[in-house]
């Protein structure tokens, strides 16, 4: 019979030892991963949020275009645009003094602009038969970027 040398580790004991050794991550490995995630967030974050501002402006422009088409349909039926006092609500509910009103010209109530402010409607307008606009994110006339005015025509 041959004697088995028990002083050398067996394959089974090596496998157990190595699996215990690699069971977790070192602090350095975790720090490297956190730094990489931070760099990605710093690169992608500003690009994502700049697109969000563009989406709000595009939404406002699309809504204003829709209101403009509804105002044109109102004018075809009634013969004139709603007055400033009647406002954009004349597209949804019949004004008392309009016999030829054939609406509603919009399926839903007039929403606020994407920044939570009401759209500005004036008839007669300063630049055409009516003015329809949103003052942008800041809610004030003028501005650039997200604060720029968005108007019909």
């Amino acid at each position: 019979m041959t004697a088995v040398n028990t002083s050398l580790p067996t394959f089974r004991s090596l496998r157990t030892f190595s699996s215990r050794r690699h069971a977790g991550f070192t602090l350095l490995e975790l720090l490297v991963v956190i730094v990489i995630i931070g760099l990605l967030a710093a690169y992608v974050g500003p690009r994502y949020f700049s697109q969000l501002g563009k989406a709000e402006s595009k939404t406002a422009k699309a809504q204003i275009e829709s209101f403009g088409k509804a105002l044109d349909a109102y004018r075809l039926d009634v013969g004139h645009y709603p007055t400033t006092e009647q406002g954009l609500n004349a597209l949804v509910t019949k004004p008392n003094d309009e016999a030829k009103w054939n609406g509603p010209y919009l399926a839903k109530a007039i929403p606020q602009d994407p920044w939570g402010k009401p759209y500005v409607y004036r008839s007669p307008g300063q630049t055409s038969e009516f003015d329809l606009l949103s003052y942008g994110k800041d809610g004030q006339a003028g501005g650039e970027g997200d604060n720029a005015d968005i108007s019909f025509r």
Side-chain angles (χ1 to χ4, degrees):
M1 255 202 195
T2 59
V4 178
N5 186 355
T6 57
S7 63
L8 293 176
T10 63
F11 178 71
R12 180 177 290 166
S13 64
L14 282 177
R15 190 176 64 194
T16 306
F17 176 71
S18 67
S19 65
R20 269 194 242 134
R21 185 172 163 262
H22 293 292
F25 296 104
T26 66
L27 181 60
L28 182 60
E29 290 170 330
L30 290 175
L31 289 175
V32 167
V33 169
I34 290 171
V35 167
I36 290 171
I37 290 172
L39 290 172
L40 287 173
Y43 180 73
V44 173
R47 292 175 185 256
Y48 171 76
F49 287 112
S50 71
Q51 294 299 322
L52 183 63
K54 289 179 186 176
E56 289 171 332
S57 296
K58 287 180 181 180
T59 299
K61 184 68 175 170
Q63 286 179 335
I64 287 173
E65 291 293 326
S66 174
F67 299 155
K69 291 176 184 175
L71 285 165
D72 289 339
Y74 179 98
R75 180 175 177 246
L76 286 173
D77 288 346
V78 177
H80 59 86
Y81 290 107
T83 64
T84 303
E85 292 78 28
Q86 291 171 328
L88 294 174
N89 287 328
L91 299 173
V92 180
T93 57
K94 180 181 179 185
N96 293 331
D97 55 348
E98 297 296 347
K100 296 180 182 177
W101 190 85
N102 193 23
Y105 299 94
L106 293 172
K108 298 179 181 178
I110 306 296
Q112 303 264 330
D113 71 9
W115 300 279
K117 298 171 183 73
Y119 285 99
V120 177
Y121 173 76
R122 293 183 293 255
S123 179
Q126 297 172 348
T127 57
S128 63
E129 292 184 74
F130 68 88
D131 291 338
L132 177 58
L133 58 121
S134 168
Y135 286 132
K137 187 175 184 177
D138 65 353
Q140 310 228 350
E144 296 178 9
D146 289 347
N147 297 330
D149 297 347
I150 301 166
S151 63
F152 184 74
R153 296 184 189 147

